[in-house]
Amino acid sequence: QVQLVESGGGSVQPDGSLRLSCAASGSIFRINAMGWYRQAPGKERELVALITSGNSTNYEDSVKGRFTISRDNAKNTVFLQMNSLRPADTAVYYCNANIKISAWSYTHDYWGQGTQVTVSS
């Protein structure tokens, strides 16, 4: 089984910073893309940032220049550094990883349990 465990959420004032981490564990042959999604109350889940196995990145327009996604392949971990946070960034943030559990298996998307980020004065 594969598990994604997130950490680093919390409450912060506007213009503050937070760093989210997500560690994948279990039966892992290879991790392809990893990403962060978020879901605010009453809204659909949206992609925030994505990083490929080759370290190419993609960001949702509203977070460009403020958020940075990175990964540590040796530790199967993905990070999201969030700076200049705004109240509109308030949401539950979910980690996602596209993982192959063996050389003969198909890839599958796995999700973390979610971590709350609240930006408020």
Side-chain angles (χ1 to χ4, degrees), residues 32-87:
N32 297 317
M34 304 183 82
W36 289 95
Y37 290 70
R38 67 185 179 188
Q39 188 166 18
K43 294 188 176 181
E44 293 186 354
R45 190 174 297 189
E46 64 175 357
L47 175 65
V48 176
L50 186 77
I51 184 166
T52 68
S53 58
N55 285 325
S56 294
T57 59
N58 188 36
Y59 296 94
E60 193 268 330
D61 284 346
S62 71
V63 309
K64 287 179 181 177
R66 300 188 298 122
F67 291 9
T68 301
I69 190 170
S70 60
R71 63 192 285 173
D72 182 338
N73 291 328
K75 297 182 178 179
N76 292 336
T77 300
V78 63
F79 306 96
L80 186 67
Q81 178 66 44
M82 304 185 293
N83 299 328
S84 302
L85 281 161
R86 305 167 180 170

Side-chain angles (χ1 to χ4, degrees), residues 7-21 63 65-68 80-87 89 93 116-120:
S7 60
S11 296
V12 65
Q13 293 186 340
D15 291 327
S17 297
L18 285 173
R19 180 176 171 88
L20 304 183
S21 300
V63 309
R66 300 188 298 122
F67 291 9
T68 301
L80 186 67
Q81 178 66 44
M82 304 185 293
N83 299 328
S84 302
L85 281 161
R86 305 167 180 170
D89 296 317
Y93 283 70
Q116 178 69 46
V117 171
T118 301
V119 184
S120 174

Side-chain angles (χ1 to χ4, degrees), residues 97-119:
N98 185 259
I99 295 174
K100 194 174 175 70
I101 64 171
S102 75
W104 305 274
S105 68
Y106 293 105
T107 61
H108 182 76
D109 278 337
Y110 293 87
W111 292 89
Q113 78 283 3
T115 185
Q116 178 69 46
V117 171
T118 301
V119 184

